């Protein structure tokens, strides 16, 4: 509705911030159990070809947990979103191809990746720590 255009314009920045914060918080919640046991996914990551499993498992744990915190805060937003996009690309491959689950098995990761790609391209808005420090990485 064109008459609601001014309202949509005013709500855009808040909606974008909401999406970033929710996505970051959910990544933190997914990464929390991994950060408590950073080597717990060693066997899993080796099963999809990432050796040594301990290194990649720890990197996954830190990236998902800290990447989520950074995304939620809008700190190093593009970098955090890029790193989490890489992780999500691997999960798309894992569920969609290796596990043979196809689109249905990978759809959640595809949706997550679409969100993180948005923030790779867009960066953070004025409601972020990136904006407060005056830098976008």
């Amino acid at each position: 509705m064109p008459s609601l255009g001014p309202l949509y314009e005013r709500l855009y920045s808040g909606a974008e911030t909401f999406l970033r914060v929710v996505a970051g918080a959910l990544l933190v919640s997914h990464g929390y159990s991994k950060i408590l046991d950073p080597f717990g996914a060693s066997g899993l990551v080796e099963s999809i070809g990432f050796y040594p499993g301990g290194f990649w498992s720890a990197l996954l744990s830190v990236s998902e947990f800290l990447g989520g915190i950074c995304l939620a805060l809008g700190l190093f937003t593009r970098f955090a979103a890029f790193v989490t996009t890489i992780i999500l690309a691997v999960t798309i491959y894992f569920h969609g191809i290796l596990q043979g689950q196809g689109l249905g098995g990978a759809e959640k990761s595809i949706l997550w990746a679409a969100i993180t790609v948005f923030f790779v391209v867009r960066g953070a808005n004025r409601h972020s720590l990136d904006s407060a420090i005056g830098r976008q990485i």
Side-chain angles (χ1 to χ4, degrees):
M1 297 180 71
S3 62
L4 294 177
L7 174 64
Y8 297 145
E9 190 64 38
R10 283 194 299 270
L11 294 176
Y12 177 82
S13 182
E16 181 182 342
T17 300
F18 179 73
L19 178 63
R20 181 177 45 79
V21 170
V22 168
L26 289 173
L27 283 168
V28 169
S29 74
H30 280 273
Y32 181 72
S33 62
K34 292 178 186 83
I35 205 78
L36 294 177
D37 184 14
F39 303 107
S42 296
L44 174 68
V45 296
E46 283 187 354
S47 76
I48 58 176
F50 290 90
Y51 294 95
F55 169 78
W56 290 106
S57 178
L59 188 61
L60 167 66
S61 302
V62 170
S63 298
E64 194 170 332
F65 186 74
L66 292 180
I69 290 172
C70 287
L71 193 59
L73 296 174
L75 180 64
F76 313 123
T77 305
R78 283 192 169 109
F79 179 74
F82 178 76
V83 169
T84 55
T85 300
I86 298 301
I87 293 168
L88 290 162
V90 172
T91 65
I92 291 166
Y93 173 73
F94 176 74
H95 289 289
I97 307 293
L98 292 181
Q99 294 285 308
Q101 298 171 354
L103 182 61
E107 71 179 316
K108 186 166 57 169
S109 294
I110 293 167
L111 179 59
W112 275 97
I115 293 168
T116 58
V117 165
F118 174 83
F119 289 107
V120 169
V121 174
R122 172 67 170 95
N125 61 14
R126 61 188 170 103
H127 306 292
S128 67
L129 290 178
D130 285 343
S131 178
I133 62 175
R135 294 199 78 125
Q136 293 249 7
I137 295 176

